[in-house]
Amino acid sequence: MDSYIAALVCIGLLILLVAWLPMVLKELPLSLPIVCVLFGFGLFQIPILKFPDPLEYPLATERLTELIVIVALMGAGLKLDRPLGWRSWMVTWRLLGITMPLSIAAIALTGWWGLELPAAEAVLLGAVLAPTDPVLASDVQVGPPRSGEEDEVRFSLTSEAGLNDGLAFPFVHLAVAMALASGPEPGTWTVEWFGIDVVWKLLAGVGVGWLVGKALGFLTFRVPNRARLSSSGDGFVSLGITLVAYGATEMAHGYGFLAVFVAAVALRHEERSHHYHEKLHDFVEQTERLLMMALLVLFGGALARGLLEPLSWTDALIAALILFAVRPAAGFVGLLGTGMPRHEQAVIGFFGIRGLGSFYYLAYALNQANFPQPDRLWAVVGFIVLVSIVVHGTTVTPVMRRVDSARTRAGEQLGLPLRQAQRRMPGG
């Protein structure tokens, strides 16, 4: 009974923090995730609370992180005002097609050589740590729908975070297939992996997500006025769309993460300027923030339990290299020739934030196959996420302010209005 009452108090405090903390922290060099981790670390010093351990509760870890990621992906898709296009999304395609594969390869090689991991674990580490997190990257993403806060840096990081979660999954499956095959040597599993985990699952994710988004967009905005669902004003519809898109795609054996983001983009495409998108986004954002805080509190509890105990000094140095050298270097290569100012390229490369998506991939893979050092993998990934939360969380506000100021000055020199200067395209 005592633990039940304590849990109720903790949940109540968490909900209050969800509402109040963003306002309190607005002008401070702290972010909400930092406070949540510290709160969790202190909270789980209470003796009656059982430490959360991802190795002890692997399925719960996978399901909880899965839920927060799909909610965040719906929010990211609903935010984007810019129509889908080859040229208008040029930076995004480069980040997905060049930066992410380079990151996966470099992290895998670093894990194999620097951490002396087996091939399957090294590939898993690359797949887990390459994607930009859609949850913790909210501070560098675009603003709400129709807000006009969609400069190239924020747009690129938002769209990248929305798509690279689904595109990293084939490499997670590659690591699982290698572990189940007891070696990296190609065989029949290679053909199966490429045909199913790469081709089919990606096509199914895009196809089912687009169909769900278009169908629900038609029902929401195109049916006769008296029955038009957008007039209801119910923001929780966004959660229903999220679950339908994800569940339908998973039943078709596709990538649900990819489908959720694509469904959100397709929904916006049906009626791009409708005010109902703001209600849908607001509900998703509040749900995402509540789930994020709960999971980061649990992460703080896992740190209090000793999640990082298997970490050696070598592991920590390699982790810092992965976070502060691999992503910026891969970002620099991917953005060569875009015409973006160098400081904006540097910001995009630097803010490759790692977070709860990495936890999901790791939990998923460890539930699918046996890897020799699961505790060490959790320690390395947990350390990288912790450092990312602290470093990116304390630098995001001043860095983005400088980016905005530089863009405004450049716009004034060109004689552009403020809003047009903020939305200026690469080479524009």
Coordinates of all heavy atoms in Angstrom, one line a residue, residues 102 141 180 198 245 250 262 290 330 368 384 396:
L102 N 26.9 6.8 -43.5 CA 28.3 7.0 -43.0 C 28.4 6.9 -41.5 O 29.4 6.4 -41.0 CB 28.7 8.4 -43.4 CG 29.1 8.6 -44.9 CD1 29.5 10.1 -45.2 CD2 30.3 7.7 -45.3
Q141 N 13.6 21.5 -33.3 CA 12.7 21.2 -34.4 C 11.9 22.5 -34.7 O 11.9 23.5 -34.0 CB 11.8 20.1 -34.0 CG 12.6 18.7 -33.9 CD 11.7 17.6 -33.6 OE1 10.5 17.7 -33.4 NE2 12.2 16.4 -33.6
L180 N 21.9 -14.2 -35.0 CA 21.3 -15.5 -35.1 C 22.0 -16.4 -36.0 O 22.0 -17.7 -35.8 CB 19.8 -15.3 -35.7 CG 18.9 -14.5 -34.7 CD1 17.5 -14.3 -35.4 CD2 18.6 -15.3 -33.4
V198 N 14.8 -5.0 -45.8 CA 15.1 -3.7 -46.5 C 14.0 -3.3 -47.5 O 13.4 -2.3 -47.3 CB 16.5 -3.8 -47.2 CG1 16.8 -2.5 -48.0 CG2 17.6 -4.2 -46.3
A245 N -2.0 3.9 -37.9 CA -0.9 3.8 -38.9 C 0.1 2.8 -38.5 O 0.6 2.0 -39.3 CB -0.3 5.2 -39.1
E250 N 2.5 -2.6 -39.0 CA 3.1 -3.8 -38.4 C 2.4 -5.1 -38.8 O 3.1 -6.1 -39.0 CB 3.1 -3.6 -36.9 CG 4.1 -2.5 -36.4 CD 5.5 -2.8 -36.6 OE1 5.9 -4.0 -36.3 OE2 6.3 -2.0 -37.0
V262 N 5.1 9.2 -42.2 CA 4.5 9.4 -43.5 C 3.0 9.7 -43.4 O 2.5 10.5 -44.2 CB 4.8 8.1 -44.4 CG1 4.0 8.2 -45.7 CG2 6.3 8.0 -44.6
L290 N 4.6 14.1 -21.6 CA 4.3 13.3 -20.4 C 5.1 12.0 -20.5 O 5.7 11.6 -19.5 CB 2.8 13.1 -20.3 CG 2.3 12.3 -19.1 CD1 2.7 12.9 -17.8 CD2 0.8 12.1 -19.1
A330 N 30.2 13.2 -40.4 CA 29.3 12.6 -41.4 C 28.3 13.7 -41.9 O 27.9 13.7 -43.1 CB 28.5 11.5 -40.8
Q368 N 15.4 -9.9 -29.5 CA 15.3 -10.8 -30.7 C 16.4 -11.8 -30.8 O 16.2 -12.9 -31.4 CB 15.3 -9.9 -31.9 CG 14.1 -8.9 -32.1 CD 12.8 -9.6 -32.1 OE1 12.6 -10.6 -32.9 NE2 11.8 -9.2 -31.4
I384 N 26.1 7.6 -23.7 CA 26.0 8.6 -24.9 C 24.7 9.4 -24.8 O 24.7 10.6 -25.0 CB 26.1 7.8 -26.2 CG1 27.5 7.3 -26.4 CG2 25.6 8.6 -27.4 CD1 27.7 6.4 -27.7
V396 N 21.5 24.2 -26.7 CA 20.6 24.4 -27.8 C 20.0 25.8 -27.8 O 19.9 26.4 -28.9 CB 19.4 23.3 -27.7 CG1 18.7 23.4 -26.4 CG2 18.5 23.5 -28.9

